[in-house]
Amino acid sequence: MLMGNNNSLFTNAIRMKKIERTPIWIMRQAGRYLPEYRKLRDKYDFMTVCKTPELAAEVTLQPIRRFEFDAAILFSDILVIPEAMGQHLEFLEDHGPQLSPKIINEKEFRKLRPDNLTAKLSYVEEAVRLIRRELNDKIPLIGFCGSPFTLATYMIEGKPTRNFKFIKEVLYSNPQFLHELLELLTESVVEYLKMQIEAGAQVIQVFDTWGGILPPHQFHEFSAKYLIRIIENLKAGRTPVILFSKGGIKLLQQLKESGADMLGVDWMTDMKEARDLVNGRFALQGNLDPTVLYGHREIIKKETIRILEIFRDRNGHVFNLGHGILPDIPVENVQYLVDTVRESSYKMYK
Ligand code: CP3
């Protein structure tokens, strides 16, 4: 296994160590807001980029070259797992991912082919190895996956949804079936993450994008329980795990005993409340409202410093947005954000 780079700003922030400034990376940092990404996508469709290690590596490095972020994140998608299990996956311009057929009952479930998952996803393994080689230990590489509940939501809904009709219908009418699917996804995700770590991923982030659509009393049973199991299964190695659940302080309350090394904080959560909730026991990541990046420099600066101030004289903060960057954000605003985080936090630490 490749080691090295256990001493970066990013990993030290996760470990609650004192460092000289706040590290920053951005969820969806490789993507359509970058002209160099759009240029590459004019030639190759999204899944071709994911499945071609050289292209995935190139796209992973684009935002690193431009902004010198403090961490790189593997370029891929959470939906490569259902695709590897045999669900047909297509990304439609303006309509997002479409998965078919919908896995709404036992009959559809039995059509899935979860065997040899890591072999089918060896293109991810190869991309991780290539990216690590090219990063040359300058910054750490984050590997990732979707949470079992988030993956199940896409697999059952088949496409992005407003009402979550099918997943909720299954949850209320046939919870045993949903648990069967979540069990399978938990095992698959653990196997997949171990493959990424073995190939060189130095930190793991689990995206629980849809956990927050569950009523708080259902969150543990259908999402957190499985997140905790994933973390327990990775604990033997010492790879730090970041959990990002979108859904406010209530979810953070339920995740504070999850064993995660760092929790992602969405932009709808008050960062001060989150800080007081975890009370220095582990690190937090976030949480600038992504739409602030549409604003003028004064607004970007004000909102950025507001977050940095919350962690003045404390360890354990990684700057990030409260969710992924939007595709039409001006790149110069991202540069301004990065500069502001570096300069302002450096002054605060002195
Ligand atoms: O952060 C990074 O730069 C790494 C790459 C990454 C992508 N998707 C690339 C991508 C990561 C970490 C993801 C995670 C992901 N994918 C999540 C969880 C995080 C979140 O944002 O909530 C989810 C829910 C997905 C599923 C997905 N993939 C959706 C809903 C969409 C369509 C919406 C959109 O932004 O277009 C995608 C497509 C996708 N994944 C793109 C990228 C760069 C855009 C595809 C394109 O180039 O056209």
Side-chain angles (χ1 to χ4, degrees), residues 25-32 37 41 46 73-79 91 93 95-97 144 146 150 154 160 207 209-210 244 246 323-324 327:
W25 71 280
I26 287 182
M27 289 188 274
R28 291 280 181 102
Q29 62 191 18
R32 286 161 298 178
Y37 176 83
R41 282 276 286 99
F46 178 69
I73 181 161
L74 162 72
F75 189 85
S76 187
D77 200 86
I78 63 167
L79 301 178
F91 285 88
E93 213 65 48
H95 295 283
F144 73 91
T150 299
Y154 279 104
F207 287 91
T209 306
W210 294 130
F244 174 74
K246 202 171 136 232
H323 197 184

Side-chain angles (χ1 to χ4, degrees), residues 200-266:
Q202 290 143 306
V203 174
I204 292 294
Q205 175 152 325
V206 183
F207 287 91
D208 184 32
T209 306
W210 294 130
I213 67 148
L214 290 163
H217 71 283
Q218 310 264 32
F219 179 68
H220 180 81
E221 184 181 347
F222 291 97
S223 195
K225 185 171 87 188
Y226 295 100
L227 294 171
I228 291 166
R229 187 115 54 86
I230 293 166
I231 292 169
E232 277 169 359
N233 273 280
L234 298 179
K235 267 288 170 249
R238 289 181 48 248
T239 310
V241 180
I242 311 167
L243 268 189
F244 174 74
S245 277
K246 202 171 136 232
I249 196 82
K250 287 240 164 60
L251 299 196
L252 294 182
Q253 266 155 3
Q254 296 197 47
L255 291 172
K256 70 179 182 183
E257 312 294 342
S258 63
D261 298 277
M262 179 155 81
L263 291 184
V265 182
D266 67 52

Side-chain angles (χ1 to χ4, degrees), residues 61-233:
L61 294 171
Q62 284 177 347
I64 307 305
R65 290 190 200 113
R66 193 187 262 269
F67 305 113
E68 297 185 9
F69 283 121
D70 295 301
I73 181 161
L74 162 72
F75 189 85
S76 187
D77 200 86
I78 63 167
L79 301 178
V80 297
I81 285 193
E83 203 237 15
M85 290 181 178
Q87 226 182 344
H88 179 72
L89 171 64
E90 217 176 340
F91 285 88
L92 298 184
E93 213 65 48
D94 303 326
H95 295 283
Q98 317 279 312
L99 284 161
S100 58
K102 292 185 177 76
I103 309 300
I104 44 170
N105 53 34
E106 283 286 343
K107 187 165 155 263
E108 299 302 328
F109 180 77
R110 276 196 298 273
K111 288 185 192 161
L112 292 174
R113 292 186 304 275
D115 54 302
N116 295 325
L117 192 75
T118 50
K120 289 183 226 163
L121 293 168
S122 63
Y123 59 87
V124 174
E125 182 182 1
E126 197 46 47
V128 170
R129 287 188 199 283
L130 205 54
I131 298 163
R132 272 299 304 273
R133 220 174 300 145
E134 295 192 19
L135 283 173
N136 201 13
D137 277 350
K138 262 176 50 196
I139 50 167
L141 175 63
I142 306 168
F144 73 91
C145 67
S147 72
F149 184 73
T150 299
L151 292 172
T153 301
Y154 279 104
M155 291 171 85
I156 291 174
E157 295 285 338
K159 58 185 178 195
T161 164
R162 266 173 174 273
N163 301 328
F164 300 93
K165 175 182 159 184
F166 294 104
I167 177 86
K168 296 260 180 128
E169 194 177 306
V170 169
L171 184 152
Y172 287 114
S173 65
N174 196 356
Q176 297 92 320
F177 166 65
L178 183 53
H179 281 301
E180 190 180 4
L181 178 58
L182 292 168
E183 288 283 345
L184 170 67
L185 289 169
T186 302
E187 279 170 33
S188 306
V189 155
V190 167
E191 208 188 323
Y192 179 55
L193 292 178
K194 283 185 175 165
M195 177 191 85
Q196 291 186 32
I197 292 168
E198 198 61 37
Q202 290 143 306
V203 174
I204 292 294
Q205 175 152 325
V206 183
F207 287 91
D208 184 32
T209 306
W210 294 130
I213 67 148
L214 290 163
H217 71 283
Q218 310 264 32
F219 179 68
H220 180 81
E221 184 181 347
F222 291 97
S223 195
K225 185 171 87 188
Y226 295 100
L227 294 171
I228 291 166
R229 187 115 54 86
I230 293 166
I231 292 169
E232 277 169 359
N233 273 280

